[in-house]
Amino acid sequence: CIRDSHEAPQAGRWLAAAGLVPDLAVVSTATRTRQTWKLVSGQLDAHVPTTYSDELYESGLMGSLSLLRTLPGDVATALVVGHNPTTESLALYLQDGTGVAADRSRMAGKYPTGGIAVLHLQVPDWRDLDEGTARLLAFAVPR
């Protein structure tokens, strides 16, 4: 979740500039995350199909992981808009310890509100997602 209405559009602009327009957004059903996604997606040059999930609001790491494992195989890029500490735990759980060392260190040290972890899956399908199966490509906190 992003702290205020100014940070969300900045996050959307960062995603667009990085060429990270997702095929699917998976968003918690909480009002704040829905509002955040509306502001983020407003900065993208594409309509992004969106799924709203109670699981992102009510479950922890394993529930969120189970949800991601059900994503369709034709979804190459997914964006999760959820809540901490679950979002932080998920990113740390999935990353395999490779990638940009400075980004790994920043993410592990403090995962602030509005943090964006960009992970590249090292497995062929979402259902294979597990601990250490993704490489951290970037960690950003657009402000």
Side-chain angles (χ1 to χ4, degrees), residues 53-66:
S53 173
D54 288 331
E55 283 185 76
L56 289 178
Y57 185 72
E58 298 170 351
S59 68
L61 168 64
M62 297 316 284
S64 296
L65 184 63
S66 293

Side-chain angles (χ1 to χ4, degrees), residues 34-56:
R34 293 170 70 95
Q35 292 168 340
T36 296
W37 174 237
K38 183 177 180 180
L39 293 168
V40 169
S41 64
Q43 301 301 309
L44 304 176
D45 282 339
H47 169 74
V48 177
T50 304
T51 299
Y52 296 95
S53 173
D54 288 331
E55 283 185 76
L56 289 178

Side-chain angles (χ1 to χ4, degrees), residues 61-137:
L61 168 64
M62 297 316 284
S64 296
L65 184 63
S66 293
L67 173 66
L68 292 178
R69 286 177 177 152
T70 68
L71 293 181
D74 63 346
V75 173
T77 305
L79 179 123
V80 177
V81 183
H83 308 273
N84 264 343
T86 301
T87 302
E88 174 181 1
S89 297
L90 183 63
L92 291 170
Y93 182 82
L94 292 174
Q95 67 95 21
D96 66 1
T98 66
V100 179
D103 285 345
R104 284 195 331 268
S105 179
R106 282 182 37 238
M107 184 175 77
K110 171 101 171 107
Y111 198 112
T113 299
I116 300 171
V118 181
L119 300 165
H120 180 267
L121 301 186
Q122 304 292 324
V123 292
D125 196 274
W126 290 101
R127 66 178 168 242
D128 301 319
L129 205 55
D130 209 341
E131 185 174 14
T133 58
R135 181 175 188 198
L136 180 67
L137 298 181

